[in-house]
Amino acid sequence: DVKVTQSSRYLVKRTGEKVFLECVQDMDHENMFWYRQDPGLGLRLIYFSYDVKMKEKGDIPEGYSVSREKKERFSLILESASTNQTSMYLCASTNLHRYTEAFFGQGTRLTVV
Amino acid sequence: GNSVTQMEGPVTLSEEAFLTINCTYTATGYPSLFWYVQYPGEGLQLLLKATKADDKGSNKGFEATYRKETTSFHLEKGSVQVSDSAVYFCALGVSFNAGNNRKLIWGLGTSLGVNP
Protein backbone atom coordinates (compact mmCIF):
# COMPACT_ATOMS: atom_id res chain seq x y z
CA ASP A 1 0.00 0.00 0.00
CA VAL A 2 1.42 3.36 -1.01
CA LYS A 3 2.16 5.69 1.80
CA VAL A 4 3.07 9.25 2.69
CA THR A 5 3.92 9.58 6.36
CA GLN A 6 4.16 12.79 8.33
CA SER A 7 6.17 12.63 11.53
CA SER A 8 3.54 14.08 13.87
CA ARG A 9 -0.26 14.34 13.93
CA TYR A 10 -0.30 17.10 16.54
CA LEU A 11 2.42 19.53 17.57
CA VAL A 12 2.46 22.43 20.01
CA LYS A 13 5.38 24.86 19.82
CA ARG A 14 6.26 28.20 21.36
CA THR A 15 6.62 31.46 19.48
CA GLY A 16 10.17 31.88 18.18
CA GLU A 17 11.02 28.18 18.18
CA LYS A 18 12.51 26.52 15.12
CA VAL A 19 10.10 23.81 13.98
CA PHE A 20 10.74 20.83 11.71
CA LEU A 21 7.94 18.95 9.99
CA GLU A 22 9.04 15.75 8.33
CA CYS A 23 7.46 13.87 5.45
CA VAL A 24 8.50 10.53 4.01
CA GLN A 25 7.08 8.71 0.97
CA ASP A 26 7.73 5.13 -0.05
CA MET A 27 6.63 5.36 -3.70
CA ASP A 28 9.88 6.65 -5.26
CA HIS A 29 8.03 9.80 -6.36
CA GLU A 30 9.96 12.66 -7.88
CA ASN A 31 7.70 15.50 -6.75
CA MET A 32 6.88 16.44 -3.18
CA PHE A 33 4.77 19.30 -1.85
CA TRP A 34 3.99 21.11 1.38
CA TYR A 35 0.62 22.80 1.83
CA ARG A 36 -1.11 24.53 4.64
CA GLN A 37 -4.86 24.25 5.07
CA ASP A 38 -6.91 26.90 6.82
CA PRO A 39 -10.70 27.28 7.06
CA GLY A 40 -12.08 29.22 4.11
CA LEU A 41 -8.70 29.38 2.37
CA GLY A 42 -8.43 25.86 1.01
CA LEU A 43 -4.98 24.39 0.33
CA ARG A 44 -2.17 26.86 -0.17
CA LEU A 45 1.15 25.71 -1.59
CA ILE A 46 4.16 26.64 0.52
CA TYR A 47 7.05 24.92 -1.28
CA PHE A 48 7.55 22.02 -3.62
CA SER A 49 10.44 19.97 -4.90
CA TYR A 50 10.78 18.03 -8.17
CA ASP A 51 14.16 16.47 -7.46
CA VAL A 52 16.65 15.88 -4.69
CA LYS A 53 18.16 19.18 -3.52
CA MET A 54 15.77 21.12 -5.77
CA LYS A 55 13.07 23.39 -4.40
CA GLU A 56 10.58 25.89 -5.74
CA LYS A 57 8.59 28.52 -3.88
CA GLY A 58 4.87 28.10 -3.86
CA ASP A 59 2.28 30.76 -3.17
CA ILE A 60 3.10 31.50 0.48
CA PRO A 61 6.78 30.71 1.18
CA GLU A 62 7.45 33.55 3.62
CA GLY A 63 8.54 32.32 7.03
CA TYR A 64 9.24 28.81 5.76
CA SER A 65 12.11 26.89 4.22
CA VAL A 66 12.47 23.30 3.02
CA SER A 67 15.08 20.62 2.67
CA ARG A 68 15.22 17.62 0.36
CA GLU A 69 18.45 15.72 0.89
CA LYS A 70 17.01 12.34 -0.09
CA LYS A 71 14.35 11.50 -2.65
CA GLU A 72 11.94 10.01 -0.12
CA ARG A 73 12.12 12.78 2.48
CA PHE A 74 10.92 16.39 2.33
CA SER A 75 11.18 18.59 5.41
CA LEU A 76 9.39 21.84 6.12
CA ILE A 77 11.14 24.25 8.47
CA LEU A 78 9.60 27.14 10.32
CA GLU A 79 12.64 29.27 11.08
CA SER A 80 10.98 31.20 13.94
CA ALA A 81 7.46 30.02 14.60
CA SER A 82 4.74 32.63 14.96
CA THR A 83 1.11 32.35 16.03
CA ASN A 84 -0.10 33.04 12.47
CA GLN A 85 1.58 29.79 11.43
CA THR A 86 -0.90 27.80 13.51
CA SER A 87 -2.49 25.60 10.88
CA MET A 88 -2.92 22.13 9.40
CA TYR A 89 0.11 21.18 7.30
CA LEU A 90 -0.24 18.60 4.55
CA CYS A 91 2.53 16.86 2.65
CA ALA A 92 1.91 15.26 -0.75
CA SER A 93 3.88 13.45 -3.42
CA THR A 94 3.30 12.72 -7.11
CA ASN A 95 4.87 10.59 -9.80
CA LEU A 96 6.49 12.46 -12.68
CA HIS A 97 5.09 10.18 -15.34
CA ARG A 98 1.47 9.83 -14.26
CA TYR A 99 -1.41 12.24 -14.43
CA THR A 100 -0.37 14.16 -11.37
CA GLU A 101 -2.32 11.96 -8.95
CA ALA A 102 -1.20 13.19 -5.54
CA PHE A 103 -0.88 11.06 -2.42
CA PHE A 104 -1.25 12.86 0.88
CA GLY A 105 -0.04 12.33 4.38
CA GLN A 106 -2.49 12.43 7.26
CA GLY A 107 -1.59 16.01 8.14
CA THR A 108 0.11 17.73 11.08
CA ARG A 109 -1.98 20.06 13.21
CA LEU A 110 0.53 22.67 14.45
CA THR A 111 -0.36 25.08 17.21
CA VAL A 112 2.03 27.93 18.01
CA VAL A 113 1.47 29.49 21.42
CA GLY B 1 -3.36 31.95 -15.63
CA ASN B 2 -4.56 28.68 -14.19
CA SER B 3 -7.36 28.68 -11.65
CA VAL B 4 -10.20 26.62 -10.23
CA THR B 5 -13.52 27.99 -9.02
CA GLN B 6 -15.56 25.70 -6.87
CA MET B 7 -19.04 25.99 -5.44
CA GLU B 8 -19.03 27.45 -1.95
CA GLY B 9 -20.36 25.47 0.94
CA PRO B 10 -21.38 24.25 3.27
CA VAL B 11 -23.87 22.00 1.55
CA THR B 12 -26.34 20.10 3.72
CA LEU B 13 -28.46 17.29 2.27
CA SER B 14 -30.69 14.54 3.50
CA GLU B 15 -29.67 10.94 2.93
CA GLU B 16 -30.53 9.68 -0.57
CA ALA B 17 -30.67 13.20 -2.03
CA PHE B 18 -28.97 14.07 -5.32
CA LEU B 19 -25.64 15.88 -5.06
CA THR B 20 -24.02 18.34 -7.44
CA ILE B 21 -20.89 20.30 -6.60
CA ASN B 22 -19.91 22.71 -9.36
CA CYS B 23 -16.34 23.20 -10.50
CA THR B 24 -15.09 25.37 -13.37
CA TYR B 25 -11.53 26.02 -14.40
CA THR B 26 -9.27 28.30 -16.41
CA ALA B 27 -6.19 26.73 -17.94
CA THR B 28 -3.82 26.78 -20.88
CA GLY B 29 -2.90 23.59 -22.64
CA TYR B 30 -4.45 20.26 -21.75
CA PRO B 31 -4.88 19.91 -18.03
CA SER B 32 -5.97 16.87 -16.08
CA LEU B 33 -8.90 17.27 -13.68
CA PHE B 34 -9.41 15.70 -10.28
CA TRP B 35 -11.78 15.48 -7.37
CA TYR B 36 -10.27 14.79 -3.96
CA VAL B 37 -12.11 14.06 -0.73
CA GLN B 38 -11.06 14.78 2.84
CA TYR B 39 -12.87 12.91 5.60
CA PRO B 40 -12.80 14.44 9.09
CA GLY B 41 -9.35 14.28 10.69
CA GLU B 42 -7.64 12.85 7.63
CA GLY B 43 -5.51 13.91 4.69
CA LEU B 44 -6.89 14.18 1.17
CA GLN B 45 -7.43 11.16 -1.05
CA LEU B 46 -8.19 10.92 -4.73
CA LEU B 47 -11.88 10.35 -5.48
CA LEU B 48 -11.82 10.39 -9.30
CA LYS B 49 -10.02 11.91 -12.24
CA ALA B 50 -10.28 12.65 -15.98
CA THR B 51 -7.30 13.24 -18.22
CA LYS B 52 -8.85 14.49 -21.48
CA ALA B 53 -11.98 16.15 -22.82
CA ASP B 54 -15.21 14.09 -22.57
CA ASP B 55 -13.64 11.59 -20.18
CA LYS B 56 -15.88 10.58 -17.30
CA GLY B 57 -14.29 9.75 -13.97
CA SER B 58 -16.25 7.63 -11.52
CA ASN B 59 -15.77 6.04 -8.10
CA LYS B 60 -17.97 5.08 -5.13
CA GLY B 61 -21.11 6.26 -6.98
CA PHE B 62 -19.61 9.69 -7.73
CA GLU B 63 -19.16 10.87 -11.32
CA ALA B 64 -17.68 13.88 -13.10
CA THR B 65 -17.29 14.59 -16.83
CA TYR B 66 -14.46 16.70 -18.29
CA ARG B 67 -16.29 19.34 -20.37
CA LYS B 68 -13.84 21.40 -22.38
CA GLU B 69 -16.53 23.51 -24.05
CA THR B 70 -17.83 24.75 -20.71
CA THR B 71 -14.50 24.34 -18.84
CA SER B 72 -16.29 22.41 -16.12
CA PHE B 73 -15.89 19.25 -14.06
CA HIS B 74 -18.99 19.07 -11.86
CA LEU B 75 -19.19 16.31 -9.24
CA GLU B 76 -22.46 14.36 -8.99
CA LYS B 77 -23.89 11.51 -6.99
CA GLY B 78 -27.38 10.15 -7.37
CA SER B 79 -28.01 9.20 -3.74
CA VAL B 80 -25.77 10.45 -0.95
CA GLN B 81 -25.13 8.64 2.31
CA VAL B 82 -24.21 9.90 5.77
CA SER B 83 -20.74 8.45 5.19
CA ASP B 84 -20.23 10.88 2.27
CA SER B 85 -19.99 13.78 4.73
CA ALA B 86 -16.58 15.29 3.97
CA VAL B 87 -14.86 18.18 2.24
CA TYR B 88 -14.54 17.85 -1.55
CA PHE B 89 -11.79 19.57 -3.53
CA CYS B 90 -11.65 20.11 -7.27
CA ALA B 91 -8.12 20.31 -8.70
CA LEU B 92 -6.39 21.03 -12.00
CA GLY B 93 -3.10 19.36 -12.99
CA VAL B 94 -0.84 21.70 -15.00
CA SER B 95 2.77 21.81 -16.12
CA PHE B 96 5.06 24.13 -14.19
CA ASN B 97 8.23 23.97 -16.23
CA ALA B 98 9.35 22.98 -19.71
CA GLY B 99 9.57 19.33 -18.71
CA ASN B 100 6.92 16.90 -17.68
CA ASN B 101 6.64 18.12 -14.12
CA ARG B 102 3.16 19.05 -13.04
CA LYS B 103 1.55 20.55 -10.00
CA LEU B 104 -2.03 20.81 -8.82
CA ILE B 105 -4.12 23.98 -8.67
CA TRP B 106 -6.83 23.66 -6.01
CA GLY B 107 -10.33 24.89 -5.50
CA LEU B 108 -11.20 26.10 -1.99
CA GLY B 109 -13.16 22.99 -1.09
CA THR B 110 -16.85 22.36 -0.47
CA SER B 111 -17.99 20.95 2.84
CA LEU B 112 -20.81 18.41 2.54
CA GLY B 113 -22.93 17.28 5.46
CA VAL B 114 -25.49 14.51 5.01
CA ASN B 115 -28.23 14.05 7.59
CA PRO B 116 -29.91 10.68 8.21
Side-chain angles (χ1 to χ4, degrees):
Chain A
D1 211 12
V2 296
K3 194 173 271 191
V4 177
T5 304
Q6 295 182 228
S7 52
S8 305
R9 287 295 298 267
Y10 301 95
L11 215 48
V12 179
K13 296 292 181 180
R14 295 193 181 280
T15 301
E17 276 193 79
K18 190 168 187 175
V19 181
F20 294 85
L21 303 183
E22 306 286 344
C23 176
V24 177
Q25 50 96 2
D26 64 1
M27 296 164 282
D28 201 35
H29 283 173
E30 291 81 5
N31 304 323
M32 295 187 75
F33 304 81
W34 274 107
Y35 296 92
R36 64 178 282 176
Q37 183 179 18
D38 300 287
L41 298 177
L43 273 71
R44 293 183 290 168
L45 182 61
I46 304 171
Y47 268 97
F48 60 102
S49 168
Y50 55 89
D51 201 352
V52 176
K53 296 193 186 295
M54 304 299 288
K55 61 184 179 185
E56 294 273 349
K57 291 181 180 179
D59 302 317
I60 52 163
E62 296 79 19
Y64 303 94
S65 62
V66 290
S67 171
R68 191 152 180 217
E69 296 297 318
K70 293 185 178 181
K71 190 175 186 180
E72 67 270 19
R73 186 180 296 270
F74 191 37
S75 303
L76 179 69
I77 304 155
L78 285 66
E79 297 291 343
S80 177
S82 64
T83 55
N84 63 13
Q85 293 178 309
T86 292
S87 186
M88 170 70 87
Y89 289 87
L90 294 169
C91 175
S93 71
T94 67
N95 187 312
L96 175 66
H97 299 295
R98 292 180 66 87
Y99 290 103
T100 334
E101 178 179 347
F103 294 87
F104 281 82
Q106 76 277 30
T108 297
R109 170 82 56 192
L110 172 67
T111 302
V112 182
V113 297
Chain B
N2 300 306
S3 67
V4 175
T5 302
Q6 187 176 339
M7 182 171 131
E8 282 188 35
V11 173
T12 303
L13 296 173
S14 297
E15 205 164 26
E16 299 184 2
F18 184 85
L19 169 71
T20 301
I21 301 178
N22 290 338
C23 173
T24 57
Y25 67 90
T26 304
T28 54
Y30 303 95
S32 305
L33 296 169
F34 303 84
W35 278 101
Y36 282 78
V37 59
Q38 184 179 32
Y39 297 104
E42 298 184 13
L44 279 71
Q45 56 186 275
L46 179 67
L47 180 60
L48 53 84
K49 66 181 179 184
T51 58
K52 62 183 187 297
D54 300 324
D55 265 4
K56 178 186 280 189
S58 61
N59 187 24
K60 300 181 181 180
F62 290 88
E63 293 183 340
T65 301
Y66 187 158
R67 302 276 189 210
K68 197 168 174 66
E69 64 278 9
T70 55
T71 61
S72 65
F73 193 55
H74 304 322
L75 182 68
E76 296 182 336
K77 186 175 186 183
S79 176
V80 293
Q81 306 301 311
V82 172
S83 58
D84 294 326
S85 298
V87 181
Y88 293 83
F89 291 89
C90 184
L92 184 69
V94 297
S95 298
F96 64 81
N97 58 24
N100 289 322
N101 281 292
R102 290 178 172 244
K103 65 176 179 179
L104 290 165
I105 309 296
W106 296 89
L108 292 181
T110 302
S111 176
L112 170 67
V114 180
N115 297 319

